[in-house]
Amino acid sequence: VAVTGVQTCALLISGIVCNGGSAVVVVSASGGTTPYSGTGNFTRSVGNYSFTVTDNNGCSTTINYSVLQPAPLSVSVIPGAIQCNGGSSLINVSATGGTAPYSGTGYFLRSAGNYTFSVTDAAGCSSSGSAVLVHCAAGISRSATIVIAHIMNSHNMSYNNAYAFVRSARRRIAPNLEFCCALMRYEKELRTQR
């Protein structure tokens, strides 16, 4: 980038690789009378910046520059349903943001359990997401209670919000009264821990 006037400033930028990182902006000058002030290497986060270079005679020029960054790398983990006791299901792991292509995405066959998947983009930035696969004979009371408790803990949700969230994905859930009472006690316990 060149600025005309008494002198020329050039900005060479080593861009932000991962969202939330920083870049190095190199400001140099030519023309006018040396030495210059305002030249050098400047570490900057995302934003708009003005750099002013002044020569030995007090003549100056200013250049504006925007430092950009890629969108945050976001991982989506969507579990399927386990149909039979002791069976398995596919988990779909996908990513958006960052710099494509991604490694660690695709479909993964897993049995019941808690899983975390890490995805890395082409720039070496990484993020992770998790899923819980639960199986119970009918998927109405016990497994729903386990999933609601997990959602309350991992997503900092109240019992009512977690119940509504799980019910929106599986309409026929109906944890028995004792399980509901246990979840309400668990909510109080979580509140005191946070």
Side-chain angles (χ1 to χ4, degrees):
V1 177
V3 175
T4 60
V6 175
Q7 53 210 357
T8 301
C9 296
L11 294 174
L12 304 173
I13 188 163
S14 167
I16 296 177
V17 176
C18 298
N19 186 280
S22 60
V24 176
V25 179
V26 179
V27 179
S28 61
S30 62
T33 306
T34 59
Y36 307 109
S37 65
T39 59
N41 297 343
F42 303 91
T43 301
R44 298 289 185 261
S45 59
V46 67
N48 299 315
Y49 299 94
S50 293
F51 298 95
T52 300
V53 175
T54 305
D55 75 359
N56 198 40
N57 293 327
C59 299
S60 63
T61 187
T62 299
I63 188 164
N64 298 315
Y65 201 83
S66 296
V67 177
L68 306 175
Q69 68 181 349
L73 178 60
S74 177
V75 176
S76 174
V77 180
I78 302 172
I82 296 177
Q83 300 301 321
C84 301
N85 189 19
S88 57
S89 178
L90 288 175
I91 298 176
N92 179 11
V93 179
S94 60
T96 57
T99 306
Y102 311 105
S103 63
T105 60
Y107 289 90
F108 301 89
L109 186 63
R110 299 289 190 268
S111 58
N114 188 5
Y115 299 96
T116 299
F117 297 89
S118 182
V119 174
T120 304
D121 72 3
C125 307
S126 61
S127 186
S128 61
S130 61
V132 176
L133 285 177
V134 178
H135 180 267
C136 197
I140 295 171
S141 185
R142 286 176 289 183
S143 59
T145 300
I146 293 167
V147 171
I148 291 168
H150 173 73
I151 296 293
M152 289 168 61
N153 183 38
S154 64
H155 296 285
N156 195 22
M157 282 190 187
S158 68
Y159 163 69
N160 288 333
N161 289 343
Y163 181 91
F165 178 78
V166 173
R167 188 168 176 84
S168 72
R170 186 169 175 88
R171 299 287 311 153
R172 62 187 219 156
I173 68 164
N176 69 40
L177 182 60
E178 285 301 313
F179 286 158
C180 290
C181 291
L183 287 168
M184 286 184 242
R185 287 190 302 272
Y186 184 55
E187 179 181 21
K188 288 179 184 175
E189 181 182 319
L190 287 174
R191 268 193 255 136
T192 59
Q193 291 175 1
R194 294 187 174 134

